[in-house]
Amino acid sequence: ELTGVKVKTQGSTSLTLAWDKNASASGYVVEQYKGGKWTQIAKTSSNATVTYTVNGLKADTTYTFRIKGYVVSGTTEYSGEYTRLAAKTRIAKVASFRATGTTTSAVELSWNKNDKATGYIIEIYRGGKWTAIATTKNNTTLRFTMKGLARNTTYSFRIKAFRKTGSTTEFSEYASVKVKT
């Protein structure tokens, strides 16, 4: 049986699965439960390949996978036990994040509503790091104006949606835009 099976990277339309290397294995088989049955989606030919990215998934959806190691001896293939894993994709990222107005010292940003979001976090890249400049507390605020910017300067902004469910907060991937004052 494989150890260390986990979700390494979680996207809104992809999941990267990972596991510990099994020195006895010739490779690994990854299966996904879909359409009421298990379907093989990958088979590696090396035990050094310990990640697999599943693409083309739907946002905010839970998927079930199982992974096993196998060994080839002569012409016979032997398999280990499956290790199961349920993984959920992130909520969809913000669509149409854009600058809808600029002046010499301000930028107005807007975006489309994400029906799954509780609110949004907007960040600016300055001084070599990303800094949060606004957090909306609702899903109806779809505009933000950043004031006090330098004239004739290009700025990078990014936004992510968040959803609060009880004590849990989920985040989307970032959407970004570059804007010149």
Side-chain angles (χ1 to χ4, degrees), residues 1-2 20-28 45-48 50 68-73 76-80:
E1 190 171 326
L2 295 178
D20 296 336
K21 181 179 177 178
N22 184 321
S24 302
S26 298
Y28 309 98
S45 57
S46 166
N47 69 351
V50 293
K68 68 177 178 179
Y70 70 90
V71 175
V72 176
S73 177
T76 307
E77 183 175 301
Y78 301 94
S79 295

Side-chain angles (χ1 to χ4, degrees), residues 97-99 107 109 154-158 176-180:
F97 183 50
R98 62 202 174 278
V107 171
L109 303 166
T154 300
Y155 291 92
S156 292
F157 297 92
R158 68 183 186 180
S176 59
V177 65
K178 282 188 177 187
V179 185
K180 187 173 184 177

Side-chain angles (χ1 to χ4, degrees), residues 1 5 33 38 64-67 81-86:
E1 190 171 326
V5 176
Y33 192 76
W38 289 102
T64 304
F65 303 96
R66 66 184 188 182
I67 306 165
E81 293 293 317
Y82 281 105
T83 301
R84 287 190 186 199
L85 172 69

Side-chain angles (χ1 to χ4, degrees), residues 96-111:
S96 298
F97 183 50
R98 62 202 174 278
T100 48
T102 58
T103 68
T104 57
S105 64
V107 171
E108 181 186 59
L109 303 166
S110 68
W111 56 93

Side-chain angles (χ1 to χ4, degrees), residues 42-135:
K43 184 174 186 178
T44 71
S45 57
S46 166
N47 69 351
T49 303
V50 293
T51 62
Y52 181 74
T53 300
V54 186
N55 292 301
L57 303 176
K58 293 180 183 175
D60 196 30
T61 304
T62 300
Y63 294 90
T64 304
F65 303 96
R66 66 184 188 182
I67 306 165
K68 68 177 178 179
Y70 70 90
V71 175
V72 176
S73 177
T75 58
T76 307
E77 183 175 301
Y78 301 94
S79 295
E81 293 293 317
Y82 281 105
T83 301
R84 287 190 186 199
L85 172 69
K88 187 175 182 182
T89 51
R90 293 179 183 225
I91 62 174
K93 75 179 189 179
V94 175
S96 298
F97 183 50
R98 62 202 174 278
T100 48
T102 58
T103 68
T104 57
S105 64
V107 171
E108 181 186 59
L109 303 166
S110 68
W111 56 93
N112 290 357
K113 183 177 181 174
N114 179 335
D115 290 335
K116 303 283 186 179
T118 302
Y120 307 92
I121 298 171
I122 302 151
E123 300 176 354
I124 188 171
Y125 190 78
R126 277 199 291 211
K129 65 180 181 176
W130 287 101
T131 305
I133 53 175
T135 301

